[in-house]
Structures are given as structure tokens and as C-alpha cells.
Amino acid sequence: MGAVLSLDTLLAQRRLWRGQPGGRAEAAREPSGHAALDAALPGGGWPEASLTELLLPADGVGELGLLLPTLARLTRAGRDIAWVDPPYRPYAPALARAGLDLTRLHVVDTGGRQSAWALEQCLRSQACGAVLGWPRQADDKTLRRLQVACETGQALGFVFRPAPAARNPSPAALRLQFEAGGVRILKCRGGHPPASPVPWAPATRH
């Protein structure tokens, strides 16, 4: 017979998630800025202090446009944003037009060699409202460390990964897969993913 573990032990080891009490849900503190997506997510927005995976068939399918309202809101509130190893140079004029305070945007370039380490440090620092990362390699252990770092630093974490990664399990609180004409919610902590993709019109690359 297997060993019996207490609930406190399972929670401490992060093998169980503590559910939220019933009743009327409060307004999300981290809305995405897109009404259709917020309506489909259990908390009405991005899961707080958590990791979100964005799974892409190719770069430039509108993935940054999905995040721009959130990034603009955070920078206007005086929060810093870090981009770790973006595949393209951020186009400052477009970001400014979207409402971002560019003085709050920091780009970290490791040459791809230490992306995961830099992501974890930025998330843990408590200096960033959100951290975006494009890691070359991200196995289950790496993603789990990033999820814990989000909780420690109370930051939103977003990692961009190729679509085939959807076949592998992930500890991320939210997983979004970009498809033609929409975004499919593969996993969302606290609720069941909707059967149909959320409609989404791709934006131009920034």
C-alpha cells in the first residue's frame, strides 16, 4: 500500500492547487484587455502571479498584440516590463502608439544561451510587472521553476514557444495556442477550457 500524505504536505509540494471559495467572483486585477478572452478565462483575465504559455505556429501571428493592452496598463502604472531574448528588435514607435511607456521597457539579450536563467531572475526580482521570454529550450523542470518564480516575484510571466510543444504537459497556469482566426485555450487553472477557440484577429508584428 502506498504512503499516505496529508493535504498540507501535498499543498506544500505544489502537487495540489488550493481551490477558491464559491460565490461571486471578483473583477480580475489582471484583465487582458480583450473582452472575448477575458470572458473565456476563469478569473476574467490573466492568472495573477503565474506563467502563461503562448504556443505559436510561427512568429508574428499577432502574439504581441494580445499582450499590448496589459503591458501598456502596467507601464502606465509605473511597473517595469522585461523582454528576454526576443527574436526581433522591439519596434519602439508601434509600442509607443499602443500606449507603452518605453522608459519602463527593458530588453535582456543573452544570445539565447541563458534565456531560462535570465527569465527566472527577472520574475523573482519583484521589480517587474511582467516578463516576456523566448527560451530556446524549456522542459517541464524549467517551466516549473518559472511558475514558482512568478509566484515569488508576484509577476506575470509569458513564454513564447513553438506549437508542437502543446503535445507535452506543462505546469504553466494558462496555455494558449494560436490558430487560424482564433486562440485556443488548452489549459486554464481554475476552470475548464472552452470547446471552441476564442476569436482573434492577428495584429502586425512589433
Side-chain angles (χ1 to χ4, degrees):
M1 182 175 179
V4 177
L5 299 177
S6 70
L7 282 176
D8 287 342
T9 299
L10 293 172
L11 287 167
Q13 294 176 351
R14 300 185 185 279
R15 294 167 63 181
L16 287 179
W17 292 109
R18 187 184 298 276
Q20 299 300 317
R24 184 176 178 180
E26 297 181 359
R29 285 188 286 175
E30 302 294 354
S32 73
H34 303 284
L37 180 60
D38 288 344
L41 293 174
W46 304 118
E48 296 182 50
S50 295
L51 185 68
T52 293
E53 278 187 273
L54 297 101
L55 303 161
L56 315 174
D59 294 331
V61 294
E63 64 271 24
L64 287 180
L66 195 69
L67 304 184
L68 287 179
T70 298
L71 302 183
R73 174 174 54 82
L74 290 172
T75 60
R76 288 196 301 266
R79 303 298 305 278
D80 285 356
I81 305 296
W83 291 20
V84 178
D85 287 331
Y88 307 100
R89 185 185 301 273
Y91 186 54
L95 297 178
R97 286 196 299 271
L100 273 74
D101 177 355
L102 298 182
T103 65
R104 294 288 179 178
L105 175 62
H106 308 278
V107 178
V108 179
D109 182 7
T110 75
R113 294 180 298 275
Q114 300 186 65
S115 292
W117 179 85
L119 269 167
E120 184 178 353
Q121 301 313 305
C122 289
L123 288 167
R124 286 184 181 276
S125 69
Q126 300 186 348
C128 297
V131 181
L132 284 61
W134 290 260
R136 291 182 181 177
Q137 301 292 332
D139 57 16
D140 180 79
K141 181 179 179 180
T142 297
L143 294 173
R144 192 170 300 280
R145 288 180 65 89
L146 295 178
Q147 171 61 40
V148 173
C150 289
E151 298 169 6
T152 301
Q154 291 295 293
L156 296 175
F158 298 97
V159 291
F160 301 87
R161 306 184 67 204
R167 295 193 293 263
N168 302 322
S170 169
L174 177 64
R175 305 187 85 191
L176 303 179
Q177 183 168 14
F178 283 71
E179 301 178 352
V183 176
R184 184 175 297 277
I185 301 174
L186 300 180
K187 172 187 176 182
C188 50
R189 184 196 300 167
H192 298 290
S196 301
V198 177
W200 169 248
T204 55
R205 180 184 294 164
H206 296 283

